[in-house]
């Protein structure tokens, strides 16, 4: 006998899968950051010995130890950058995708899954109507986690504002000492974007469970 899954079950699983993806990329990004921070070429005593490389000018020595250390450092640096970008994009997909699902349910819709776009290079495209920051959802005021949810959304608003400040100051031909301080402060705030998006996603997932309570209760009542 085939069990028919209800729309709210598959929607819950869809959101959970986005959260699982965000957690994996978060873990990978942090591991890469630790590996990169631990690899300190300045502590390595480089060997001066060279080897001959075919088709290379004999006057240019090739030092394999130098080459290995440089390549390792460069690779770790690139890996950190790629995984940070992946974590940010996946965390945003989790947070904004779940917010989209909440909005759909509050509007009386029954989506089977979260709907997101993807670019050709594999990046999620966020719902345009939720950008740059998802709107407040006063319909959730009866939910015990509503205050924290709004605080997480406010954090995203602060990051959006800081990003605009950083972009503006970065384009200026000259920065005063005060401007430079403001730029660094804004960049520090923006650096927490991925973690803020993930934190918003975690609370949004709980909010989705709250808004689905009525749908689940109606389904149980219908079956009884």
């Amino acid at each position: 006998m085939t069990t028919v899954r209800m729309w709210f079950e598959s929607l819950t699983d869809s959101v959970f899968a986005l959260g699982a993806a965000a957690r994996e990329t978060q873990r990978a990004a942090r591991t890469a950051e630790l590996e990169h921070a631990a690899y300190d070429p300045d502590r390595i005593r480089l060997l001066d010995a060279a080897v001959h490389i075919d088709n290379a000018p004999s006057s240019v020595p090739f030092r394999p130890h130098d080459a290995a250390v440089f390549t390792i450092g460069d690779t770790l640096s690139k890996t950190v950058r790629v995984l940070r970008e992946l974590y940010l994009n996946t965390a945003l997909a989790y947070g904004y995708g779940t917010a989209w699902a909440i909005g759909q349910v509050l509007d009386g819709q029954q989506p089977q899954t979260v709907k997101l776009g993807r670019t050709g290079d594999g990046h999620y495209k966020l719902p345009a109507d939720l950008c740059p920051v998802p709107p407040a959802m006063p319909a959730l005021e009866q939910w015990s986690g509503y205050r924290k949810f709004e605080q997480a959304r406010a954090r995203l608003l602060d990051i959006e504002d800081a990003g605009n400040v950083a972009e503006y100051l970065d384009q200026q031909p000259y920065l005063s000492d005060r401007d430079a301080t403001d730029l660094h402060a804004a960049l520090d705030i923006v650096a927490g974007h991925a973690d803020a998006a993930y934190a918003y996603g975690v609370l949004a997932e709980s909010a989705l469970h709250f808004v689905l309570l009525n749908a689940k209760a109606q389904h149980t009542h219908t079956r009884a």
Side-chain angles (χ1 to χ4, degrees), residues 65-141:
H65 197 198
D66 290 43
V69 169
F70 173 80
T71 302
I72 292 169
D74 186 54
T75 300
L76 288 173
S77 180
K78 289 179 180 177
T79 300
V80 168
R81 184 179 69 253
V82 170
L83 288 177
R84 280 177 177 171
E85 292 175 354
L86 179 62
Y87 172 35
L88 173 59
N89 183 245
T90 309
L92 286 169
Y94 176 37
Y96 283 58
T98 308
W100 174 89
I102 294 171
Q104 290 289 301
V105 176
L106 291 176
D107 285 343
Q109 305 299 314
Q110 298 181 354
Q112 297 281 337
T113 62
V114 174
K115 294 182 180 179
L116 292 171
R118 290 271 280 180
T119 64
D121 58 357
H123 285 79
Y124 292 104
K125 294 190 290 186
L126 305 180
D129 57 330
L130 299 185
C131 293
V133 177
M137 300 180 185
L140 298 176
E141 287 182 352

Side-chain angles (χ1 to χ4, degrees), residues 28-40 72-73 76-77 79-80:
R30 289 179 177 172
T31 298
E33 289 168 357
L34 290 173
E35 289 292 333
H36 183 243
Y39 191 75
D40 185 3
I72 292 169
L76 288 173
S77 180
T79 300
V80 168

Side-chain angles (χ1 to χ4, degrees), residues 4-45:
V4 178
R5 304 192 72 226
M6 298 304 300
W7 65 272
F8 49 78
E9 293 174 329
S10 60
L11 180 62
T12 299
D13 287 348
S14 180
V15 166
F16 185 79
L18 283 171
R23 283 184 284 278
E24 286 297 328
T25 55
Q26 179 192 68
R27 190 177 299 111
R30 289 179 177 172
T31 298
E33 289 168 357
L34 290 173
E35 289 292 333
H36 183 243
Y39 191 75
D40 185 3
D42 292 335
R43 294 183 180 181
I44 301 174
R45 181 183 177 185

